Amino acid sequence: MSEIEIRAVRFDAPVAQQLISAALADLGARYGGSGDDTPVDATEFESPDGAFLVAYLAGEPVGCGGWRSHGADTAELKRMYTAPAARGRGVARTVLAAVERSAREQGRKRVVLECGDKQPEAIAMYGSAGYERIPNFGFYKDEEGCVSFGRTL
């Protein structure tokens, strides 16, 4: 198995936008519409208040994830995605660990996230990584099918 390399990039970098577009297309196929209408500003993912990470396998970008501040000591996980051809190879878990490490290094004590009930593989991964259900928050908090998770770092 090839080693997964993680690189920090700007949220608005072409490689990040390519992966984010694929993530939104995947969500759109599952839920309809644009996939996710949560307001996101690229500057929210700049240090020390956030980060955006891209995973590479054999030099090719295959996954991403980032965090942005959600209060003084909490990070919100956003735009987690793994390309279909790279799934099942540990990319998402590697990105998640790197996002958590980045948030911890910037003083965050907790990570929260929201996803939907039509993402069973994501829900299973978050559960196995120690995330627990929390009250819904964010843009979709009142939407049917929204599930939110949190984990102390």
Side-chain angles (χ1 to χ4, degrees):
M1 182 186 307
S2 297
E3 184 176 331
I4 300 164
E5 179 188 354
I6 302 292
R7 298 181 201 161
V9 302
R10 290 182 51 87
F11 184 87
D12 55 4
V15 67
Q17 288 300 302
Q18 176 187 9
L19 289 163
I20 291 165
S21 292
L24 293 175
D26 181 78
L27 292 172
R30 294 174 194 243
Y31 299 102
S34 69
D36 185 355
D37 293 323
T38 303
V40 173
D41 183 325
T43 62
E44 295 174 312
F45 297 87
E46 293 177 5
S47 184
D49 298 318
F52 198 78
L53 307 173
V54 171
Y56 291 81
L57 268 175
E60 294 298 315
V62 296
C64 63
W67 69 273
R68 63 184 182 176
S69 290
H70 186 81
D73 66 351
T74 302
E76 179 186 10
L77 180 68
K78 292 299 295 176
R79 301 297 185 248
M80 280 287 293
Y81 175 73
T82 301
R87 291 180 184 163
R89 298 175 70 183
V91 173
R93 288 185 185 280
T94 302
V95 171
L96 181 61
V99 166
E100 290 174 343
R101 187 169 42 257
S102 171
R104 191 179 314 105
E105 288 170 355
Q106 295 301 329
R108 301 317 185 271
K109 308 282 187 233
R110 182 166 179 74
V111 175
V112 297
L113 66 99
E114 64 176 352
C115 69
D117 61 1
K118 294 180 182 176
Q119 295 167 264
E121 62 285 291
I123 291 168
M125 182 193 69
Y126 295 132
S128 69
Y131 285 76
E132 298 178 345
R133 286 292 306 269
I134 61 171
N136 286 343
F137 71 95
F139 190 79
Y140 290 103
K141 70 180 177 190
D142 297 322
E143 296 292 323
E144 184 178 330
C146 178
V147 290
S148 296
F149 295 91
R151 175 168 127 50
T152 300
L153 295 174

